[in-house]
Amino acid sequence: CDSVQYDTDLPKTSVIIIFYNEAPCALLRTVTGVLLRSPIEYLEEIIIVDDHSYIESNQEKLHNFIRDFFPPLVKLVRNPSRLGLIRARMAGSDKAAGEVILFLDSHCEAGPGWLEPLLQRIKDDYRNVVNPSIDIIHQDGFEFYGATSVQNQGTFNWGLLHFWQGIPEFDKKNIKTCADPVRSPTMPGGLFAISKKWWEHLGKYDPGFEVWGGENMEVSFKTWMCGGRLEIIPCSHAGHVFRGGTPYKSHVTNSMAINQKRLAEV
């Protein structure tokens, strides 16, 4: 990856981070990592959307900290009511001024040199939807466990759930170096970049989806069916805290099942 050369006129990106009752340390780590490890010339803005959090640590003190200690390109928006991750992301994307939209969960850490490989692939073809290689951040001690290469691609089962499988031989034949993009039928959905033009062409997320769940499958299917390409980019790394369960209650019961049924029907 150190030998890969990127264009100097890459498109600018709007990073969109949704949070709901998030631990402030995790959220601030996510934003700080993006600021420190993204070339400023490619960073249009960071849009932080508070999806109507109610815990005390996500209230005025946190909002004031974000406004007072981060540069003006970091913009905070608070939803007047709970929308859920899917609709909150769409609301954030509607405010985005960048040519590229990059969605991040609120408990991530950008790796060194993470942004340029993603933007290059979108510049090469605006229909490319790209994912960084996702490393593990331990939920208890926040230790970082990075991978040196991409060995898997996303796929799905008949329950429309994402899981990982080894890269099949017919895809391996097209991978010449460890820096080459890896085709992937599906993506996990928490971290990905997409051109705003392609995002809007695909219709964004299905507005009939509730809260969270299944939206990663929907974007994956639409990308391939409409002539796009979904890739994992080995030279882009971002860590993600994989939690043991959902730490908050949903205002919609069983949104995952609702969305999966709608995905199958629509």
Side-chain angles (χ1 to χ4, degrees):
C1 290
D2 290 341
S3 63
V4 177
Q5 298 294 313
Y6 302 105
D7 295 345
T8 57
D9 59 344
L10 298 174
K12 299 189 76 170
T13 185
S14 295
V15 178
I16 298 175
I17 301 167
I18 313 299
F19 76 94
Y20 175 70
N21 292 348
E22 181 64 88
C25 60
L27 174 63
L28 298 176
R29 176 178 181 166
T30 302
V31 178
T32 300
V34 172
L35 286 170
L36 292 178
R37 291 173 170 169
S38 304
I40 192 66
E41 62 267 28
Y42 303 139
L43 197 58
E44 178 73 37
E45 60 198 346
I46 301 173
I47 301 174
I48 308 172
V49 180
D50 178 356
D51 194 25
H52 205 69
S53 301
Y54 63 81
I55 61 173
E56 180 60 32
S57 62
N58 280 190
Q59 301 303 315
E60 185 176 1
K61 185 176 181 180
L62 175 63
H63 291 192
N64 289 341
F65 183 93
I66 291 172
R67 293 192 176 102
D68 294 343
F69 290 95
F70 285 131
L73 63 82
V74 178
K75 304 169 183 179
L76 177 65
V77 178
R78 177 172 168 84
N79 291 334
S81 61
R82 179 91 193 279
L83 298 180
L85 174 69
I86 293 170
R87 292 175 185 151
R89 279 187 166 184
M90 290 195 289
S93 72
D94 289 342
K95 299 178 183 298
E99 186 178 342
V100 171
I101 295 171
L102 202 165
F103 292 110
L104 279 184
D105 282 344
S106 56
H107 33 272
C108 296
E109 181 176 333
W114 77 303
L115 188 57
E116 297 95 314
L118 301 176
L119 298 181
Q120 182 67 62
R121 290 300 295 162
I122 292 175
K123 184 188 176 189
D124 292 343
D125 188 333
Y126 78 95
R127 298 169 299 177
N128 287 335
V129 179
V130 291
N131 297 254
S133 176
I134 302 175
D135 300 322
I136 297 172
I137 301 175
H138 197 280
Q139 67 173 349
D140 296 325
F142 271 46
E143 298 91 350
F144 201 100
Y145 300 96
T148 57
S149 62
V150 175
Q151 301 294 331
N152 297 300
Q153 62 179 196
T155 186
F156 63 98
N157 58 22
W158 286 111
L160 296 178
L161 294 173
H162 172 275
F163 67 94
W164 298 104
Q165 68 174 10
I167 301 171
E169 289 301 319
F170 60 82
D171 271 330
K172 285 183 179 179
K173 292 177 181 178
N174 296 320
I175 301 173
K176 306 303 180 185
T177 75
C178 61
D180 288 349
V182 176
R183 293 197 320 162
S184 186
T186 64
M187 63 176 175
L191 305 78
F192 71 97
I194 184 171
S195 73
K196 189 169 186 182
K197 178 180 179 180
W198 187 239
W199 170 249
E200 292 176 345
H201 176 79
L202 295 179
K204 310 173 189 176
Y205 290 129
D206 183 340
F209 276 17
E210 298 288 351
V211 190
W212 170 89
E215 76 283 354
N216 56 323
M217 295 290 104
E218 188 218 2
V219 171
S220 300
F221 295 164
K222 289 197 297 189
T223 295
W224 287 109
M225 293 169 68
C226 294
R229 182 180 173 97
L230 188 63
E231 297 178 336
I232 302 169
I233 310 301
C235 292
S236 174
H237 280 253
H240 182 277
V241 179
F242 290 91
R243 301 181 289 205
T246 305
Y248 52 79
K249 293 182 179 180
S250 173
H251 62 288
V252 176
T253 303
N254 209 6
S255 64
M256 172 71 82
I258 293 171
N259 295 347
Q260 287 168 325
K261 182 179 178 181
R262 182 174 174 86
L263 175 61
E265 292 177 344
V266 175

